[in-house]
Amino acid sequence: MSEDFEPKILAFCCKYCAYAAADLAGSMRLSYPPNVKVIQIPCTGRIDIVHILKAIEDGADGVYVAGCMEGDCHFVSGNLRARKRVEYVKKTLTELGIEPERVEIYNLSSAMGPRFAEIAHEMTDRIRKLGPTPVKTRTV
Ligand code: FES
């Protein structure tokens, strides 16, 4: 794999928790890799399987969904539905011969700025090891 490979990673972040945690990380001046593009969503329950697969098809090397802690979703069970969808996408990727580790889901609270930065580092390291997505057709 090329040493120059810089993964493109999309993070779908719930505005009540992960997005707020990203803000907190910024306020705390915690750095995280610029590889991660954060997309604010109203709840992880809004994420559909097709959003994740489309992101990969469009060139994301990795995608993760970050929602509220279990039991804390503002829409009761959005994060539980999101977990099931992410698991489904992982299964689908496996069947297609694509590493399921390219997709992940995390739960965090708005107070977890340092954890947000840590996750961004974790995912960037993980995807860097996996290399570019094999399905890249366009640039995100
Ligand atoms: Fe945050 Fe549902 S409101 S995951």
Side-chain angles (χ1 to χ4, degrees):
M1 175 194 348
S2 163
E3 300 243 330
D4 309 330
F5 171 58
E6 283 301 333
K8 292 188 178 92
I9 300 170
L10 289 188
F12 291 108
C13 296
C14 164
K15 75 171 182 179
Y16 292 104
C17 53
Y19 193 83
D23 259 356
L24 180 60
S27 305
M28 294 171 79
R29 299 192 180 280
L30 299 172
S31 68
Y32 60 87
N35 307 67
V36 176
K37 283 188 192 168
V38 174
I39 298 170
Q40 187 193 59
I41 53 174
C43 170
T44 55
R46 289 286 292 139
I47 285 297
D48 197 14
I49 290 161
V50 77
H51 296 133
I52 302 172
L53 290 174
K54 184 80 176 118
I56 292 174
E57 184 189 327
D58 285 353
D61 300 297
V63 179
Y64 64 94
V65 177
C68 300
M69 302 297 282
E70 291 196 5
D72 286 345
C73 172
H74 285 58
F75 300 92
V76 185
S77 59
N79 51 3
L80 303 178
R81 287 199 306 277
R83 181 166 295 281
K84 282 187 187 158
R85 291 172 185 157
V86 167
E87 292 307 323
Y88 184 87
V89 170
K90 282 175 170 277
K91 199 170 143 243
T92 304
L93 291 180
T94 304
E95 286 167 6
L96 293 171
I98 300 166
E99 305 90 345
E101 298 86 2
R102 291 186 184 277
V103 174
E104 201 52 84
I105 183 161
Y106 295 96
N107 297 96
L108 62 174
S109 75
S110 58
M112 295 169 82
R115 179 64 185 137
F116 179 87
E118 194 179 273
I119 287 169
H121 282 285
E122 267 174 35
M123 278 301 284
T124 303
D125 290 347
R126 183 194 293 191
I127 304 300
R128 195 170 270 140
K129 283 182 192 138
L130 289 172
T133 172
V135 289
K136 192 168 280 187
T137 55
R138 283 189 265 161
T139 312
V140 241

